[in-house]
């Protein structure tokens, strides 16, 4: 058996799935050993490289995750919350590292990952890029340095296919700002303003979501006070940054103790 970790990719035909397959294909540190799509998808049964319109990669797209995970040391999963919960149990069964990029998971769904994390490594982050994870640290610092005279607003923009809001990244940034302020985000979060909302509540952290065209992902953390404003900004122009981070997490997780980790752990920030 090769000592190079085998990786299975779920949601193989998706925007991130295809980017991940290209990233693993081009890496000399990992091997593509599995590709999963949902039952009934027209890629199932085809070579994943050919389905992507390129050369064959010797990996057939499967709708049986257990079969696809069997030869893998890591599963990289950017799909949907229900699918991710199912994959967590199967990845734990295979003792494979489960890298979760899926966003839009509820508190209950996140809590339901815990049994799997007793048996295997899970690395989960709403954004796998180096830049955004660095931005969370900066956000925490700035929020800790400023008092509530500065209103904090998180503004995010994404492509028109995105199904969840606020984005996973916006929530990470909101959590970082709340942590910097020493408050719980759940107590101060202000989402979905519409109509006669009343004046802004001091200390709240607000969220705004823009959806349009092919925007890959843009996030601003605005600190607005009387007479001055600070904006921390990250702009993603290429999904490769997320795929590179996810592959890094899959390799980092090899040999680690079972448990839940995030990209701050992986990147050592
Ligand atoms: N953490 C991060 O850095 C990033 C996270 N994301 C998140 O990744 C997720 C996917 O994003 P996209 O690739 O843009 O979406 P997409 O809609 O293009 O792809 C999702 C894929 O998952 C597949 N899928 C759904 N249920 C499945 C199941 N039960 N079994 C197998 N495959 C299944 C779909 O058929 C589809 O191919 C979203 O939650 C998004 O927010 C996206 C980019 C970066
Ligand atoms: O759905 C996307 O595309 C993205 N989702 C993640 C999020 O919800 O923050 C990360 C990135 O912004 C792209």
């Amino acid at each position: 058996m090769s000592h190079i970790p085998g990786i299975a990719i779920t949601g193989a035909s998706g925007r991130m799935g295809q980017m991940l397959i290209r990233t693993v294909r081009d890496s000399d540190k990992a091997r593509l050993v599995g590709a999963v799509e949902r039952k009934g998808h027209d890629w199932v049964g085809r070579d994943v490289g050919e389905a992507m319109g390129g050369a064959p990669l010797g990996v057939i797209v499967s709708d049986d995750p257990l079969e696809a995970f069997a030869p893998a040391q890591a599963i990289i999963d950017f799909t949907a919350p229900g699918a991710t919960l199912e994959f967590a149990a199967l990845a734990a069964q295979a003792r494979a590292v489960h890298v979760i990029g899926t966003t839009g998971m509820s508190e209950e769904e996140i809590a339901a990952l815990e049994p799997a994390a007793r048996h295997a490594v899970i690395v989960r982050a709403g954004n796998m890029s180096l830049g955004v994870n660095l931005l969370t640290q900066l956000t925490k610092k700035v929020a800790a340095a400023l008092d509530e005279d500065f209103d904090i607003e998180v503004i995010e923009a994404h492509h028109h296919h995105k199904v969840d809001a606020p984005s996973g990244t916006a929530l990470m940034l909101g959590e970082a700002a709340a942590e910097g302020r020493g408050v719980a985000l759940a107590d101060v979060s202000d989402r979905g303003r519409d109509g006669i909302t009343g004046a802004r509540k001091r200390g709240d952290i607000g969220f705004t979501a823009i959806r349009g065209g092919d925007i890959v992902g843009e996030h601003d953390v605005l600190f607005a006070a009387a007479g001055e404003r600070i904006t921390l900004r990250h702009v993603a122009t290429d999904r490769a940054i997320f795929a590179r981070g996810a592959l890094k997490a899959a390799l980092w997780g090899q040999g680690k103790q079972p448990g839940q980790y995030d990209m701050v752990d992986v990147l050592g920030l």
Side-chain angles (χ1 to χ4, degrees):
M1 201 178 92
S2 167
H3 65 284
I4 296 181
I7 312 275
I9 309 286
T10 60
S13 80
R15 281 173 288 276
M16 279 307 301
Q18 295 192 50
M19 182 57 78
L20 286 157
I21 285 162
R22 284 194 288 273
T23 302
V24 174
R25 178 198 65 192
D26 296 343
S27 170
D28 56 5
K29 297 191 175 69
R31 299 171 293 132
L32 184 69
V33 297
V36 179
E37 254 306 339
R38 60 189 153 72
K39 283 196 195 318
H41 194 284
D42 60 6
W43 282 27
V44 173
R46 297 178 63 195
D47 182 282
V48 71
E50 288 179 341
M52 284 168 60
L57 293 175
V59 172
I60 303 298
V61 180
S62 172
D63 59 6
D64 178 352
L66 195 56
E67 171 196 77
F69 293 180
Q73 282 73 55
I75 316 304
I76 306 185
D77 174 21
F78 287 61
T79 53
T84 288
L85 275 188
E86 182 200 342
F87 297 148
L90 299 176
Q93 212 172 307
R95 298 293 187 266
V97 173
H98 188 191
V99 178
I100 301 176
T102 305
T103 59
M105 296 181 78
S106 66
E107 288 298 319
E108 294 73 25
E109 286 165 334
I110 291 168
L113 293 172
E114 195 43 41
R118 284 193 217 114
H119 302 286
V121 171
I122 293 180
V123 182
R124 188 177 65 85
N127 194 305
M128 300 273 171
S129 74
L130 170 62
V132 158
N133 283 278
L134 194 55
L135 192 67
T136 62
Q137 306 303 299
L138 297 175
T139 299
K140 200 190 305 182
K141 270 198 158 191
V142 175
L146 301 173
D147 66 17
E148 291 183 352
D149 286 347
F150 282 80
D151 297 324
I152 303 178
E153 293 283 315
V154 182
I155 304 129
E156 53 107 335
H158 284 88
H159 53 94
H160 57 211
H161 299 289
K162 187 161 179 62
V163 296
D164 56 308
S167 68
T169 311
L171 293 171
M172 281 167 66
L173 293 166
E175 288 285 358
E179 204 181 320
R181 274 212 168 145
V183 296
L185 181 60
D187 295 339
V188 296
S189 173
D190 187 4
R191 288 158 64 158
R193 295 183 190 116
D194 188 13
I196 309 294
T197 59
R200 193 185 196 286
K201 206 169 130 215
R202 188 177 162 85
D204 272 1
I205 296 177
F207 292 86
T208 300
I210 295 162
R211 295 288 175 266
D214 62 356
I215 301 170
V216 173
E218 302 186 3
H219 292 87
D220 282 6
V221 186
L222 170 68
F223 298 84
E228 59 182 330
R229 290 197 293 274
I230 301 165
T231 303
L232 302 180
R233 161 172 287 197
H234 181 268
V235 177
T237 55
D238 188 337
R239 288 185 177 84
I241 61 171
F242 312 129
R244 277 201 299 269
L247 178 55
K248 192 178 267 240
L251 299 175
W252 175 90
Q254 302 301 312
K256 291 280 184 306
Q257 284 299 313
Q260 294 207 49
Y261 301 89
D262 62 20
M263 284 307 285
V264 172
D265 298 315
V266 173
L267 298 167
L269 295 173

